[in-house]
Amino acid sequence: MAMMNDSRPHYPDYSTAGAVQHSFNPYADNGGSVVAIAGDDFAVIGADTRLSTGFAIYTRNQKKLFKLTDKTILGCAGCWCDTLTLTRILNARMQMYEQEHNKTMSTTACSQMLSTMLYYKRFFPYYISNVLVGLDTEGKGCVYSYDPIGHCERSTYRAGGSAGALLQPLLDNQVGFKNMQGDAFEKVTKERAIAILKDVFISAAERDIYTGDSIVINLITKDGITEETFPLRKD
Amino acid sequence: MATERYSFSLTTFSPSGKLVQIEYALAAVAAGAPSVGIKASNGVVIATENKHKSILYDEHSVHKVEMITKHIGMVYSGMGPDYRLLVKQARKMAQQYFIVYKEPIPTIQLVQRVAAVMQEYTQSGGVRPFGVSLLICGWDNDRPYLFQCDPSGAYFAWKSTAMGKNFINGKTFLEKRYNEELELDDAVHTAILTLKESFEGQMSADNIEVGICDSNGFKRLDPSHVKDYLANIS
């Protein structure tokens, strides 16, 4: 580097010998959690509405669920600026697909495309915990979860975001019936799935400071998408 | 570098509004070996003449009818080397599509991409148009597709068509013979008959190539299979 600029303020009591380091961190963690559950003929996804930075709250009222098609919804938690850009690019790609193919993109095609889009930024990743939810071509519910660089896995239920590690074991138990004694457990219906979703977020709001305020729940069935808002602790 | 000198396209308009290079490319196609494609109700057949100029040629080593994906096949009339390039690019594009969407590429999407490549070569610096017309057959959305791609980059959807030498006679023959309820077996029969119209000499399983595409995907027929169809003709 050439000469250091002379516009630096001169504080004789505070100056240090040698160079001063400045830095810029491109990432921000704006918090939030996303939970999704899939059934035989439905899929439901919920995300909290709090955006924060450190110990401060930006807003209590930001939806984190993005409708991609009538059958597919993406939930994003993590860096909000990356979320905005990713969803904009995703929407553009989906429009292009529709114009070229004369049909809407299937959930599975969407999930694969998102994976490749994330890997495209392998060396400057989107800092987002993505959960994609929808109905596949047979009408069955599916949940796809991603890591920041596009590793994709299909499952029946997933929790992502800041409270993800708190909620995933709870879902394993309540939706997957893991680690329980007993034989037959009834398949999770959409009413039970929504009830579990609400309980799970109430628990998250208790322990995770970044999750709270309220949740928005989107339910996808062959008849369309319904939305429900549910309040959470505001502290 | 020499390539810098050719930043201009060699395909330029004539006063009458034609792109003469493309006309010449079409002439190269019309001078090529005959090929034919027929869309049946339950599949598509593509076929071409594959005559060798001497008995010393090793038959069946190099093919004209090529698979692009499990459900799409291709054949051509015109210049073989140009065809090989397009086959390679088509295969790559099909795989790239699958990487992004995890779905087999719809036939029309592949055709559009291949045609876009062919168009590029009519408007880029220092290159000439491809001297081939392609017949692309595919099966998706539970139905058969047959497309032709020209050196200009234009593409057409056909029920049945012929290209290469004597293509006008071939098309006339098909116009009389084609009907919408044709089944794949009959379509193969008709395709071979169409080739026979312009065939000089004795047709055998060793000097024609046939490919079919149906709900089970694309397949090049092996010579013994072709022999069975030929037996039904004579």
Side-chain angles (χ1 to χ4, degrees):
Chain A
M1 263 227 282
M3 288 277 141
M4 298 295 267
N5 47 359
D6 293 292
S7 52
R8 273 181 297 131
H10 181 59
Y11 298 123
D13 293 322
Y14 299 106
S15 55
T16 44
V20 181
Q21 226 191 25
H22 303 277
S23 65
F24 167 69
N25 175 220
Y27 291 113
D29 185 0
N30 303 117
S33 313
V34 184
V35 177
I37 300 175
D40 282 340
D41 58 351
F42 72 92
V44 63
I45 184 168
D48 71 332
T49 58
R50 172 178 289 177
L51 273 189
S52 49
T53 172
F55 290 126
I57 293 181
Y58 276 140
T59 177
R60 297 187 189 280
N61 204 208
Q62 176 59 59
K63 281 202 204 133
K64 295 183 189 139
L65 299 177
F66 300 91
K67 179 178 134 162
L68 299 177
T69 72
D70 284 331
K71 295 221 196 85
T72 324
I73 294 183
L74 174 68
C76 305
C79 177
W80 186 243
C81 61
D82 280 353
T83 299
L84 285 176
T85 303
L86 180 66
T87 49
R88 283 169 194 158
I89 298 177
L90 207 48
N91 274 318
R93 290 288 296 268
M94 301 204 60
Q95 267 184 52
M96 281 157 58
Y97 183 100
E98 259 199 60
Q99 285 158 1
E100 282 173 18
H101 289 71
N102 249 324
K103 70 170 197 224
T104 342
M105 219 161 147
S106 66
T107 307
T108 35
C110 198
S111 73
Q112 181 73 6
M113 188 178 80
L114 178 55
S115 178
T116 54
M117 278 170 65
L118 291 170
Y119 195 83
Y120 200 68
K121 292 226 329 135
R122 170 69 175 78
F123 300 113
F124 183 12
Y126 288 113
Y127 188 72
I128 310 173
S129 176
N130 288 105
V131 179
L132 184 91
V133 98
L135 299 176
D136 64 15
T137 39
E138 290 152 27
K140 215 163 165 262
C142 45
V143 174
Y144 293 93
S145 51
Y146 301 81
D147 75 355
I149 50 172
H151 164 76
C152 174
E153 196 182 352
R154 181 173 174 168
S155 45
T156 341
Y157 54 88
R158 176 66 62 187
S162 55
L166 291 168
L167 304 176
Q168 189 61 38
L170 187 48
L171 288 175
D172 286 337
N173 181 268
Q174 291 298 306
V175 183
F177 309 116
K178 306 269 173 68
N179 311 314
M180 283 212 272
Q181 310 285 26
D183 319 314
F185 296 102
E186 278 155 24
K187 249 195 249 189
V188 170
T189 62
K190 50 178 167 311
E191 292 76 22
R192 174 99 184 103
I194 295 181
I196 293 176
L197 217 61
K198 290 177 181 167
D199 288 342
V200 132
F201 266 103
I202 293 172
S203 308
E206 292 290 316
R207 292 289 187 175
D208 179 27
I209 59 170
Y210 302 109
T211 305
D213 293 326
S214 74
I215 40 170
V216 172
I217 301 175
N218 278 143
L219 170 70
I220 312 176
T221 56
K222 62 169 167 41
D223 303 319
I225 301 177
T226 56
E227 188 168 292
E228 186 188 337
T229 316
F230 182 74
L232 289 179
R233 285 181 76 122
K234 291 180 168 21
D235 64 352
Chain B
M1 282 171 267
T3 38
E4 284 173 357
R5 298 177 198 236
Y6 279 96
S7 58
F8 55 90
S9 171
L10 304 172
T11 309
T12 44
F13 281 108
S14 73
S16 58
K18 285 201 225 153
L19 288 165
V20 208
Q21 279 298 302
I22 293 178
E23 305 283 320
Y24 296 160
L26 286 164
V29 170
S35 64
V36 68
I38 303 179
K39 189 168 71 147
S41 56
N42 57 339
V44 203
V45 56
I46 50 174
T48 184
E49 199 185 273
N50 197 2
K51 267 201 223 158
H52 295 297
K53 291 196 211 107
S54 134
I55 52 164
L56 294 177
Y57 277 94
D58 187 20
E59 296 143 351
H60 307 302
S61 286
V62 178
H63 297 287
K64 282 184 162 192
V65 171
E66 291 277 31
M67 172 191 274
I68 307 300
T69 67
K70 281 198 268 262
H71 65 296
I72 299 178
M74 212 196 259
V75 78
Y76 75 104
S77 281
M79 295 168 64
D82 286 8
Y83 173 67
R84 279 201 307 268
L85 197 117
L86 289 169
V87 166
K88 199 161 186 180
Q89 290 194 1
R91 286 173 173 162
K92 191 172 181 184
M93 288 190 279
Q95 292 310 312
Q96 280 172 342
Y97 185 97
F98 191 80
I99 282 177
V100 179
Y101 299 110
K102 218 173 177 181
E103 280 176 358
I105 186 168
T107 313
I108 178 75
Q109 291 295 315
L110 181 73
V111 167
Q112 282 175 350
R113 283 162 171 74
V114 172
V117 169
M118 294 173 85
Q119 192 281 342
E120 256 178 66
Y121 280 70
T122 67
Q123 230 181 351
S124 301
V127 297
R128 60 161 176 81
F130 286 97
V132 291
S133 273
L134 304 168
L135 274 178
I136 301 178
C137 68
W139 181 280
D140 54 79
N141 285 342
D142 294 321
R143 53 153 292 201
Y145 286 94
L146 176 66
F147 290 95
Q148 174 180 341
C149 282
D150 266 359
S152 59
Y155 58 90
F156 316 96
W158 288 105
K159 294 178 194 163
S160 74
T161 187
M163 308 186 310
K165 260 200 221 72
N166 275 327
F167 73 95
I168 301 176
N169 291 342
K171 276 180 146 163
T172 319
F173 185 83
L174 285 168
E175 272 170 29
K176 294 197 197 105
R177 290 291 192 119
Y178 181 81
N179 77 78
E180 314 259 325
E181 283 87 40
L182 219 55
E183 290 222 337
L184 193 53
D185 268 337
D186 303 319
V188 177
H189 181 92
T190 311
I192 295 178
L193 280 175
T194 317
L195 281 180
K196 203 159 199 270
E197 289 288 297
S198 50
F199 204 96
E200 285 160 26
Q202 179 73 303
M203 202 152 80
S204 78
D206 298 325
N207 52 28
I208 63 166
E209 269 188 44
V210 182
I212 55 162
C213 190
D214 59 10
S215 53
N216 300 323
F218 176 80
K219 180 163 83 119
R220 187 195 308 124
L221 298 183
D222 57 0
S224 49
H225 208 157
V226 177
K227 228 187 227 160
D228 296 333
Y229 279 109
L230 282 168
N232 284 337
I233 292 178
S234 36

